[in-house]
């Protein structure tokens, strides 16, 4: 696609401040370690700079970044040289928040152990509060596929977390 | 939230302060590199831009050429310097969706069969059934003489034998290549057969018509239609327009639009990044001040005709407020980007 808007540093920094946590969590769900997550986050914002999309609203901006981050992570994971590393291999590399989570939060550990395809949907559904239809739109997947992902992910989490998975 | 413990576990995930600063520094550095690169490229292209502008003028005069040369000062573009700041408003309220929420996209229901078009006689609508989906004759112009170019004809799919008429039953529609027309059916080179096929019509001296499937689908991002299906980016060789009154009264008067290349690319990017909106709400009104209105209920429109490199001409409908549509499917884009093209096409506000 051809280039579009050039944004000032101030504008890029404002978008970064608004969205970095969301983008980081989406990338972390795929990459599972802070070092690769940082690379993926940077690449996502690099794409924003290079493509220069114009957004209708902050929600539009967020949805675009989530989708771009997901695609970038998928590509990174596909790279032939990439070792499929587990979160456990990176406890010593984790950022402050990431490390605390990895060591202390077994719920997140279990979420991270979900199959790759479920994790982003689980994050968007539970944390961001997106509906199944919205997730389908953002990720460009059929609604039925997203419903299946969420259904299967719930089943796995219920089995692994027992009483800690207290969904109503 | 639906599960407090899962929400709480995610809350703890995030970059620490040092990582956040490190990433931001790298991102801003890239931003400056890209801005510097574009400035450089822009300077290099200056000569060619002027040449292209002259060529475009000649082409318009001769009425045979492409009018996509840079004319006048670019608009809707920003440099990286702070003095050039001024984003399009990031919170332009969306009509048809609730601002601040993610729209659900639009769902275009499958064409009901039998009884195409809610009771219209089936044989009045040129259609072909392929892989269980109904393809209707496309609203786009197929090329010179309204026939698709011969070199665009792809793989042979079979033969449509015009067996569908107004008395057909559901069972008749279930046959592969059931159709209201007669002729050989092919894929179209460069297009997804899930969206577009073509028929060499035996009753029109072999004229090749396009048939599109724009039903039974859900659209969310503009790119799903304008890029993935219509394949507009990088393939537009001429841009023409017609003001709405002329279009509405079939008066002709189609003009070449002198739109700078960069402006056009920014416009098309915005279209691809845009979200689809419900242009014809079943409940309520599109325009708050007009009861039971659809997006078409305004005189403030313009019509854009894009000639692609394969000869196909795509008509886009531009409607004041930032709406860009094809065959009833509209995305909304930021108005400042929209107006750079809309105003050139005689659009009124």
């Amino acid at each position: 696609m051809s280039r579009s808007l050039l944004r000032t540093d101030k504008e890029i920094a404002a978008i970064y401040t608004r969205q970095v946590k969301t983008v980081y969590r989406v990338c972390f769900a795929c990459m599972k370690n802070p070092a690769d997550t940082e690379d993926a986050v940077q690449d996502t914002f690099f794409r924003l700079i290079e493509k220069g999309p114009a957004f209708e609203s902050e929600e539009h901006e967020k949805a675009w970044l989530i989708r771009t981050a997901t695609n970038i992570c998928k590509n990174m994971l596909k790279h032939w040289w990439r070792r499929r590393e587990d979160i456990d291999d990176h406890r010593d590399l984790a950022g402050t928040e990431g490390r605390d989570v990895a060591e202390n939060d077994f719920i997140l550990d279990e979420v991270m152990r979900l199959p790759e395809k479920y994790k982003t949907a689980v994050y968007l559904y539970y944390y961001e509060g997106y509906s199944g239809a919205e997730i389908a739109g953002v990720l460009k997947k059929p609604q039925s596929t997203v419903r299946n992902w969420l259904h299967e992910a719930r089943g796995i989490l219920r089995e692994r977390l027992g009483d800690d998975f207290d969904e109503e | 939230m639906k599960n407090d413990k899962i929400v709480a576990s995610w809350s703890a995930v995030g970059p620490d302060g040092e990582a956040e600063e490190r990433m931001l520094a790298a991102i801003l550095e890239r931003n400056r590199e890209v801005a510097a690169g574009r400035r450089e490229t822009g300077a290099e292209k200056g000569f060619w831009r002027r040449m292209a502008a002259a060529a475009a003028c000649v082409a318009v005069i001769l009425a045979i050429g492409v009018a996509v040369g840079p004319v006048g000062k670019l608009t809707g573009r920003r440099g990286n310097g702070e003095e050039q700041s001024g984003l399009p408003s990031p919170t332009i309220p969306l009509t048809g969706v609730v601002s601040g929420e993610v729209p659900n996209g639009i769902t275009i229901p499958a064409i009901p069969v039998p009884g195409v078009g809610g009771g219209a006689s089936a044989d009045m609508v040129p259609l072909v059934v392929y892989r269980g989906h109904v393809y209707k004759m496309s609203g786009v112009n197929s090329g010179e003489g309204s026939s698709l170019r011969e070199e665009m004809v792809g793989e042979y799919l079979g033969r449509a034998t015009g067996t569908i008429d107004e008395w057909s039953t559901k069972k008749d529609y279930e046959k592969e290549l059931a159709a209201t027309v007669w002729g050989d059916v092919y894929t179209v080179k460069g297009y997804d057969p899930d969206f577009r096929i073509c028929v060499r019509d035996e009753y029109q001296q072999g004229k090749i018509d396009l048939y599109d499937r724009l039903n039974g689908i859900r659209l969310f991002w503009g790119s799903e239609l304008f890029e993935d299906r219509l394949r507009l980016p990088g393939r537009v060789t001429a841009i023409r327009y017609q003001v709405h009154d002329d279009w509405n009264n079939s008066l002709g008067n189609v003009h070449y639009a002198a739109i700078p290349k960069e402006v056009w690319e920014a416009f098309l990017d915005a279209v691809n990044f845009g979200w689809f909106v419900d242009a014809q709400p079943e409940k309520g009104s599109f325009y708050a001040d007009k009861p039971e209105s659809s997006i078409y209920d305004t005189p403030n429109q313009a019509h854009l005709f894009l000639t692609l490199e394969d000869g196909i001409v795509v008509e886009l409908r531009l409607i004041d407020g930032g709406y860009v549509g094809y065959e009833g499917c509209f995305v909304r884009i930021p108005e400042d980007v929209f107006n750079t093209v809309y105003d050139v096409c005689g659009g009124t506000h």
Side-chain angles (χ1 to χ4, degrees), chain B residues 108-149:
Chain B
I108 308 167
I111 292 178
V113 292
V116 178
S121 295
D123 65 350
M124 298 299 285
V125 182
L127 63 83
V128 178
V129 179
Y130 174 57
R131 290 187 191 161
H133 300 294
V134 176
Y135 289 64
K136 280 171 62 179
M137 186 185 279
S138 173
V140 307
N141 184 324
S142 306
E144 295 88 351
S146 296
S147 182
L148 184 69
R149 288 178 184 168

Side-chain angles (χ1 to χ4, degrees), chain A residues 2 4 7 16 38 50 60, chain B residues 22 30 77 80 269 273:
Chain A
S2 56
S4 185
R7 290 184 163 91
Y16 177 84
E38 271 188 41
E50 284 150 13
H60 186 193
Chain B
R22 191 166 54 238
R30 173 63 66 96
R77 307 269 309 153
N80 198 36
D269 272 349
F273 291 127

Side-chain angles (χ1 to χ4, degrees), chain B residues 81-99:
Chain B
E82 292 300 318
E83 73 284 1
Q84 292 173 294
S85 66
L87 271 177
S89 168
T91 50
I92 296 168
L94 291 163
T95 306
V97 298
V98 180
S99 187

Side-chain angles (χ1 to χ4, degrees), chain B residues 7-71:
Chain B
V7 172
S9 70
W10 274 109
S11 298
V13 175
D16 58 35
E18 203 175 294
E20 209 166 317
E21 281 176 23
R22 191 166 54 238
M23 288 190 290
L24 180 59
I27 289 162
L28 293 181
E29 190 182 335
R30 173 63 66 96
N31 197 39
R32 289 176 204 123
E33 284 170 6
V34 169
R38 288 190 193 175
R39 275 196 294 272
E40 205 169 281
T41 308
E44 284 167 7
K45 284 182 177 172
F47 170 77
W48 294 108
R49 282 178 179 162
R50 287 188 292 277
M51 292 300 288
C57 291
V58 170
V60 169
I61 291 165
L62 297 176
I64 56 168
V66 176
V68 201
V71 181

Side-chain angles (χ1 to χ4, degrees), chain A residues 1-13 16 18 20-21 24-25 28-29 37-38 41-42 45-46 49-60 63-64 67 95-98 101 105 107-108 111-112 119 122-123 125-131 133-134 136-138 140-141 143 157 161 163-168, chain B residues 1-16 19-24 26-28 30-32 34-35 38 41 45 49 76-82 84-94 100-104 218 220-221 223-224 227-228 233 262 265-266 269-270 272-275 332-334 337:
Chain A
M1 198 178 291
S2 56
R3 68 197 192 196
S4 185
L5 301 178
L6 271 174
R7 290 184 163 91
T8 64
D9 281 359
K10 193 175 168 185
E11 290 162 347
I12 290 291
Y16 177 84
R18 275 197 295 275
V20 66
K21 285 205 164 151
Y24 190 93
R25 286 171 187 139
F28 192 79
T37 299
E38 271 188 41
V41 171
Q42 285 179 191
F45 282 93
F46 290 169
I49 291 163
E50 284 150 13
K51 293 276 187 186
F55 299 118
E56 278 284 352
S57 63
E58 287 182 12
E59 281 302 323
H60 186 193
W64 187 90
R67 184 165 150 58
T96 307
E97 290 182 73
V101 168
D105 193 337
I107 293 176
L108 185 64
V111 173
M112 288 299 147
K119 281 187 292 190
V122 166
Y123 168 68
Y125 183 78
Y126 285 102
Y127 192 85
E128 296 289 349
Y130 282 27
S131 68
E134 288 167 347
V138 170
K140 270 176 105 168
K141 296 287 179 192
Q143 284 189 49
L157 290 174
L161 297 175
D163 291 343
D164 281 321
F165 190 78
D166 55 0
E167 189 171 29
E168 290 178 6
Chain B
M1 291 293 170
K2 301 166 185 85
N3 187 308
D4 290 342
K5 288 185 181 173
I6 288 187
V7 172
S9 70
W10 274 109
S11 298
V13 175
D16 58 35
E20 209 166 317
E21 281 176 23
R22 191 166 54 238
M23 288 190 290
L24 180 59
I27 289 162
L28 293 181
R30 173 63 66 96
N31 197 39
R32 289 176 204 123
V34 169
R38 288 190 193 175
T41 308
K45 284 182 177 172
R49 282 178 179 162
R77 307 269 309 153
R78 281 173 287 281
N80 198 36
E82 292 300 318
Q84 292 173 294
S85 66
L87 271 177
S89 168
T91 50
I92 296 168
L94 291 163
E101 290 184 2
V102 180
N104 283 332
R218 186 165 168 274
F220 188 85
W221 299 100
S223 60
E224 291 166 41
E227 184 170 8
D228 299 348
E262 288 86 348
E265 288 178 348
D269 272 349
N272 282 318
F273 291 127
W275 275 341
R332 185 166 187 208
I333 67 174
V337 180

